[in-house]
């Protein structure tokens, strides 16, 4: 990501948990690298309940904000039934994804649209609080989720900011989600500057699913700092290593 970050001095990083809770500990390695490319880093965690916090550099500011919708907000989301972007997405479900429209698609889409609105407003709030210049701003969602769509919503109005997202597995492959559907993937692609996939398989799937070929779709391998693993002398060769991930 270093190539695109040269023109940005402030990084807004959206996470599901980090630095709170036990999940996403691998982001720490990435943050320790990113802090060398930005004058300031602001992390917005969607985790508002965990009492445990992972260690983090003193010059990094952290905010906790839940973007989950309450009952009243879900009612408000019904207004999007009359938005042009809603009908565009419905057309994609039928024509591009070739799926019969189900109520679960509509519910998921409405939640995503209003969550994106909330995230976009929150970005504007943080920018106002820190008086950040738009052309010195880099916004990054660790997951290709509703938070990534929120960045896309912000980018519609403020074109000079740089917006990117990572994409892993559940946030790429439709089949593992309710109704075999992930909403607003086309607008995320259209508005963001890059999508960084953690695997070639994920990038290929996304490209084929949306029918697009673009340099905006890139591979960004995940990794952690070397842990001092020592070579083993196994009784049987070749050595087999088993890894697992939730």
């Amino acid at each position: 990501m270093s190539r695109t970050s040269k023109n940005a001095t402030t990084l807004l990083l959206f996470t599901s948990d980090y630095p709170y809770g036990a999940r996403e500990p691998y982001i720490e390695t990435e943050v320790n690298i990113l802090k060398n490319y930005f004058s300031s880093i602001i992390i917005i965690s969607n985790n508002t309940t965990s009492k445990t916090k992972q260690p983090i550099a003193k010059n990094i500011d952290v905010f906790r904000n839940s973007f989950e919708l309450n009952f009243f907000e879900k009612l408000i989301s019904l207004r999007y039934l009359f938005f042009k972007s809603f009908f565009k997405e419905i057309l994609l479900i039928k024509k591009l994804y070739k799926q019969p429209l189900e109520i679960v698609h509509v519910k998921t889409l409405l939640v995503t649209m209003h969550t994106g609105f909330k995230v976009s407003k929150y970005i504007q709030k943080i920018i106002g609080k820190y008086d950040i210049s738009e052309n010195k701003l880099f916004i990054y969602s660790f997951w290709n989720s509703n938070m990534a769509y929120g960045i896309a919503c912000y980018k519609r109005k403020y074109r000079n900011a740089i917006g990117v997202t990572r994409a892993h597995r559940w946030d790429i492959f439709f089949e593992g989600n309710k109704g075999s559907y992930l909403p607003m993937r086309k607008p995320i692609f259209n508005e963001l500057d890059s999508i960084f996939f953690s695997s070639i398989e994920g990038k290929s799937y996304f490209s084929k699913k949306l029918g697009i070929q673009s340099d905006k779709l890139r591979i960004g391998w995940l990794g952690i700092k070397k842990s001092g693993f020592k070579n083993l002398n196994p009784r049987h060769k070749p050595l087999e290593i088993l890894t697992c991930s939730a």
Side-chain angles (χ1 to χ4, degrees):
M1 296 183 187
S2 59
R3 181 180 67 83
T4 23
S5 65
K6 287 180 180 178
N7 295 323
T9 58
T10 298
L11 169 66
L12 300 188
L13 170 60
F14 284 85
T15 70
S16 290
D17 294 281
Y18 182 84
Y20 298 97
R23 300 196 305 172
E24 302 179 337
Y26 35 84
I27 299 181
E28 180 182 1
T29 300
E30 188 166 342
V31 168
N32 286 332
I33 296 173
L34 290 171
K35 68 183 182 182
N36 297 319
Y37 294 89
F38 297 93
S39 58
S40 62
I41 295 179
I42 302 167
I43 298 176
I44 299 100
S45 171
N46 196 42
N47 183 326
T48 59
T49 58
S50 178
K51 296 180 180 180
T52 59
K53 183 180 180 181
Q54 300 173 43
I56 197 166
K58 293 181 179 179
N59 61 339
I60 296 178
D61 290 342
V62 180
F63 292 90
R64 308 180 80 171
N65 190 85
S66 175
F67 296 104
E68 303 298 323
L69 304 188
N70 57 38
F71 177 74
F72 180 68
E73 288 173 320
K74 289 179 180 179
L75 287 179
I76 291 178
S77 71
L78 293 173
R79 64 177 179 162
Y80 296 105
L81 289 169
F82 306 99
F83 279 44
K84 184 178 179 180
S85 53
F86 174 84
F87 289 103
K88 282 185 175 181
E89 183 70 10
I90 294 299
L91 191 62
L92 285 177
I93 294 173
K94 294 180 176 180
K95 300 296 183 181
L96 181 61
Y97 305 148
K98 301 186 185 307
Q99 292 183 239
L101 185 63
E102 301 176 14
I103 188 65
V104 66
H105 298 145
V106 175
K107 288 181 177 179
T108 304
L109 176 55
L110 292 176
V111 168
T112 293
M113 293 182 74
H114 194 62
T115 304
F117 171 79
K118 287 183 65 175
V119 172
S120 178
K121 286 293 185 183
Y122 195 81
I123 292 172
Q124 295 176 54
K125 176 182 176 181
I126 294 294
I127 289 173
K129 179 181 177 67
Y130 285 86
D131 193 24
I132 303 169
S133 173
E134 180 193 340
N135 61 359
K136 294 291 183 180
L137 178 63
F138 191 113
I139 317 172
Y140 165 27
S141 174
F142 192 77
W143 301 94
N144 188 26
S145 60
N146 290 346
M147 289 182 281
Y149 178 63
I151 298 173
C153 292
Y154 175 82
K155 286 268 295 174
R156 283 185 191 140
K157 285 186 65 177
Y158 304 97
R159 309 299 302 179
N160 292 330
I162 295 173
V164 304
T165 184
R166 275 196 179 276
H168 305 261
R169 187 167 185 85
W170 72 263
D171 50 355
I172 302 173
F173 293 88
F174 282 42
E175 291 77 12
N177 294 273
K178 290 182 179 179
S180 296
Y181 170 60
L182 287 169
M184 291 303 194
R185 266 34 190 180
K186 203 66 176 283
I188 289 174
F189 164 76
N190 289 338
E191 301 298 339
L192 297 194
D193 295 275
S194 291
I195 300 176
F196 291 87
F197 296 85
S198 61
S199 70
I200 295 173
E201 178 192 16
K203 178 176 177 288
S204 298
Y205 174 92
F206 188 89
S207 178
K208 183 177 180 181
K209 187 74 176 179
L210 272 69
I212 52 177
Q213 294 288 338
S214 172
D215 292 338
K216 291 169 67 172
L217 307 181
R218 304 167 66 181
I219 299 294
W221 306 116
L222 290 171
I224 60 172
K225 188 178 179 180
K226 290 183 179 180
S227 58
F229 179 80
K230 296 181 179 180
N231 291 332
L232 301 176
N233 293 315
R235 295 180 181 179
H236 305 284
K237 293 185 179 181
L239 172 65
E240 294 183 359
I241 299 176
L242 173 65
T243 65
C244 57
S245 174

